[in-house]
Amino acid sequence: MSELNTLPPVARKVYHPCKKCEVERYQVVLAHTNSKTARLECEVCHTKNTLKVGTPAKNSKKKTASKSSRGGHKVRWEELTQNASQDPAPYNMREAFEVETLIDHPKFGLGVVTALTTNSIQVVFEDQERSLVHNRQ
Ligand SMILES: [Zn+2]
């Protein structure tokens, strides 16, 4: 007997072991107890049995919609760099930068400081946002 994964409909006859007969019997599905179990009645001895089905196939993990913020990021970078009033400052980890400072990084190009801690700055570059060291003593 193949393993069931879904309950047979009510009134359907299924071949299932009967606890009294101790053999598999045709049994009528009386009702569904829940989504995984049903009550059966043995056709021969009329004993009530329980049918359990396997765990339903797990729902395929919902893929979190990847936020395609690529366009949005570029727009943000353009706005930030255009709003910067001063000339870009060459990036140097010993320098202490401030928020909204325009930075010219030798590798990542033009970026704008958007946040900072004592030793790190969050810089929005054209391709992505990066965390850089600054104020290194
Ligand atoms: Zn029986």
Side-chain angles (χ1 to χ4, degrees), residues 18-22 25 42-47 49:
C18 171
K19 63 189 174 189
K20 189 170 179 185
C21 302
E22 294 182 330
R25 296 288 195 200
C42 175
E43 275 201 324
V44 177
C45 70
H46 298 284
T47 292
N49 290 285

Side-chain angles (χ1 to χ4, degrees), residues 31-101:
H32 291 176
T33 315
N34 57 42
S35 62
K36 290 177 194 173
T37 56
R39 289 202 319 155
L40 304 176
E41 187 183 277
C42 175
E43 275 201 324
V44 177
C45 70
H46 298 284
T47 292
K48 305 289 193 295
N49 290 285
T50 302
L51 170 70
K52 286 185 181 176
V53 294
T55 329
K58 287 176 183 174
N59 294 332
S60 55
K61 286 181 181 175
K62 287 175 185 173
K63 287 178 182 174
T64 42
S66 56
K67 294 171 185 171
S68 56
S69 58
R70 201 169 288 179
H73 175 84
K74 183 77 181 288
V75 169
R76 186 184 175 209
W77 175 81
E78 283 172 351
E79 283 177 359
L80 285 167
T81 52
Q82 281 165 16
N83 289 343
S85 51
Q86 84 282 33
D87 288 334
Y91 170 72
N92 184 331
M93 67 168 70
R94 294 181 190 282
E95 201 83 32
F97 294 98
E98 290 175 13
V99 172
E100 292 181 1
T101 301

